[in-house]
Amino acid sequence: MGSGLVLAILAPALCLGAITVKDPSDVILPSDWAADNAIIEDYSPIPEAQQPSDLLANYTFEGGVISYNHTSFSVNANDTSVIVAANGTDLSLSYVDILKEGYFSNLIHASFWGFNAALNVANKSRAALDHVNITVHNGAANVYAYGTDTVVTVDNSWLYSSGPVSHALYASGNATIIGHNLQVYAGGRRSSSFSGDSPAGYIEVYDSISHVVGIGSATYYALGTIYGENVLSVSENGPVAFSDGPQHIELVNCDAKAGLLGGVAMFSSQGRQSGAVLNLTSTKFTTTREEVPGLWFGNLIVDVYLTDFEISLLSDVLLVANFSQITQDFNFYGGYAEAPNLQPAIVTATVAESQLSGDLVAYNGSSISWSLTEHSSWTGKAYSGFGDATFAINLDKTSTWSLTADTTVTNFTNADRTLSNIQSNGFDIYYVADSEANYWLDGTSIDLPGGGSVKPA
């Protein structure tokens, strides 16, 4: 029996007090494709400016209105899709099975143009998929969309993959994919369920289940925009979401588990970029290993909005801002050797209607601005993991902070000038007296509830 998605924990057996949710690995056992899922992709191909050759496919449609129902398509060949719909095609598939076998020979070709994808929809084409079962082996995208004005909808469908870089929904070249009521399983490395690629892909997913297992596989990979709503997901060896550069991720009413790198791992693999946004609303994250922080940001300038957000951590670290990025294997944090143009992360986080616990940690000149608003509470401390760090803490009158250790802040503002919304637990807040934001404290020490105080650093 395959492992199901479980609301409380992930386990192959029924768990007391938990609801087991089935995913495609309960039908196609991962153990049958263990060799496939052990393949490590080759990162050596050099990016190319243009598509190197025509796409190969068992079935190719160019232009016109094409419709199939209650049938099946397949191919067993390398670098070959089952179906390519291109150049203005309008394709409809209903109650259709698609089986793709065969390897890709060049990761760049597979990523940027969809070589070897089971279904490739490109160049101002449209596809509507309903009750479609797509199974891929040896490393291939289930559904790939390319090009501005290319739009694919996938409803009530089942997407299974084994092998590396096998994304379920994969949008590139400014294409859009919208999915409803999906069941997704990916067993291979770097196989995120819902993924965008250069220069941008736009993904929307609703009312779906995702289970990814391979190292470096996330539920979402943002290069463009990701929107997820009512998605239940487990990323056993990856974060809930990756992003590279100034991308946008918004999750609403989602429940997600992460087993590697962070609840999110947002970074820039090039020079530090600004404009990234993370928006989590009525969403819960759970991390499954002690070394996994809640939210991780490196070499990036990012705005974070946490509204009615809940997180369950095995570590004590809620948020990290770092002078770092992620390695090519998506399995560890990369340093100067991987990217000598690194700069400190700048994170501006606004918390609303949330009760959070955990520490804020900044490294090597990184900064965190942390604003508690709209009846939020935070239990934790802020500190430098290594080198200099900058923290700005702000509370409105409705929000509270319970300290777990002494904390030094560059800027400290509180709409409650009595400071009665801070429980010190005997710890002190040290502030930089000559910071303009702290002038209201007038360089003085003020007692806090619980025996601690606010005092100049």
Side-chain angles (χ1 to χ4, degrees):
M1 176 179 176
S3 299
L5 285 175
V6 182
L7 292 183
I9 62 173
L10 186 72
L14 180 66
C15 301
L16 185 64
I19 299 173
T20 302
V21 180
K22 299 294 185 179
D23 69 65
S25 67
D26 292 287
V27 179
I28 302 176
L29 300 183
S31 58
D32 293 342
W33 294 94
D36 226 19
N37 292 326
I39 296 171
I40 299 175
E41 59 274 27
D42 177 12
Y43 307 118
S44 62
I46 299 171
E48 301 173 41
Q50 295 181 334
Q51 183 175 320
S53 62
D54 290 341
L55 296 168
L56 299 178
N58 213 18
Y59 305 88
T60 298
F61 307 110
E62 294 200 47
V65 178
I66 309 296
S67 180
Y68 288 93
N69 64 81
H70 296 89
T71 189
S72 62
F73 300 88
S74 66
V75 73
N76 187 345
N78 296 343
D79 295 315
T80 303
S81 293
V82 180
I83 298 172
V84 168
N87 302 324
T89 299
D90 189 338
L91 174 67
S92 296
L93 301 177
S94 181
Y95 293 91
V96 168
D97 294 336
I98 299 174
L99 174 62
K100 161 63 186 148
E101 296 176 281
Y103 301 88
F104 63 80
S105 60
N106 186 298
L107 178 61
I108 298 300
H109 297 173
S111 298
F112 290 172
W113 296 287
F115 282 68
N116 210 50
L119 172 62
N120 188 319
V121 183
N123 301 339
K124 299 186 178 180
S125 296
R126 291 180 173 266
L129 315 181
D130 180 55
H131 288 89
V132 171
N133 179 322
I134 303 178
T135 299
V136 301
H137 298 301
N138 314 135
N142 294 91
V143 178
Y144 186 93
Y146 181 86
T148 303
D149 297 328
T150 294
V151 178
V152 179
T153 60
V154 188
D155 298 331
N156 309 306
S157 293
W158 192 93
L159 307 172
Y160 178 97
S161 70
S162 64
V165 197
S166 298
H167 308 301
L169 305 184
Y170 196 5
S172 180
N174 299 307
T176 298
I177 306 178
I178 302 168
H180 290 84
N181 299 313
L182 306 179
Q183 296 183 58
V184 175
Y185 175 85
R189 300 168 70 102
R190 282 186 48 167
S191 296
S192 300
S193 291
F194 314 118
S195 182
D197 213 325
S198 181
Y202 303 95
I203 303 283
E204 298 177 24
V205 184
Y206 303 83
D207 307 317
S208 296
I209 294 166
S210 166
H211 181 189
V212 294
V213 175
I215 291 173
S217 299
T219 303
Y220 311 92
Y221 188 98
L223 216 168
T225 298
I226 293 285
Y227 179 85
E229 184 175 319
N230 297 322
V231 177
L232 175 65
S233 69
V234 171
S235 307
E236 292 192 24
N237 290 289
V240 177
F242 277 119
S243 76
D244 183 354
Q247 318 308 333
H248 288 224
I249 300 172
E250 182 174 4
L251 304 181
V252 179
N253 294 324
C254 291
D255 192 321
K257 291 185 178 180
L260 192 67
L261 298 175
V264 298
M266 300 180 67
F267 62 98
S268 174
S269 60
Q270 307 300 318
R272 185 178 69 182
Q273 295 178 285
S274 63
V277 175
L278 174 66
N279 193 336
L280 304 176
T281 302
S282 300
T283 285
K284 179 181 178 180
F285 280 5
T286 301
T287 61
T288 60
R289 292 188 176 104
E290 291 185 1
E291 67 271 21
V292 178
L295 308 173
W296 186 94
F297 307 94
N299 192 39
L300 189 68
I301 300 172
V302 58
D303 291 322
V304 179
Y305 303 93
L306 307 175
T307 303
D308 186 28
F309 174 64
E310 180 182 354
I311 189 163
S312 176
L313 296 166
L314 290 183
S315 78
D316 296 324
V317 180
L318 174 59
L319 189 153
V320 173
N322 207 341
F323 183 94
S324 186
Q325 60 145 327
I326 303 296
T327 61
Q328 275 275 29
D329 282 316
F330 290 1
N331 64 346
F332 201 68
Y333 312 112
Y336 184 86
E338 287 81 11
N341 56 353
L342 292 174
Q343 291 183 267
I346 300 174
V347 181
T348 302
T350 302
V351 181
E353 301 284 357
S354 302
Q355 288 69 55
L356 301 176
S357 295
D359 300 336
L360 311 180
V361 187
Y363 293 79
N364 293 313
S366 295
S367 67
I368 299 172
S369 174
W370 184 249
S371 295
L372 299 170
T373 71
E374 299 182 41
H375 304 277
S376 293
S377 67
W378 171 45
T379 299
K381 61 184 180 291
Y383 64 93
S384 167
F386 185 85
D388 295 333
T390 300
F391 299 97
I393 309 295
N394 173 70
L395 290 82
D396 72 2
K397 288 184 178 181
T398 69
S399 299
T400 62
W401 177 13
S402 180
L403 276 79
T404 57
D406 293 346
T407 294
T408 298
V409 296
T410 303
N411 297 329
F412 175 63
T413 54
N414 192 340
D416 180 356
R417 294 305 172 92
T418 71
L419 306 183
S420 62
N421 57 352
I422 297 177
Q423 175 52 247
S424 72
N425 300 307
F427 299 112
D428 297 324
I429 300 171
Y430 295 91
Y431 66 90
V432 176
D434 60 1
S435 171
E436 185 176 348
N438 301 329
Y439 284 174
W440 65 281
L441 292 165
D442 199 28
T444 62
S445 296
I446 303 173
D447 291 337
L448 293 171
S453 63
V454 175
K455 60 181 66 176

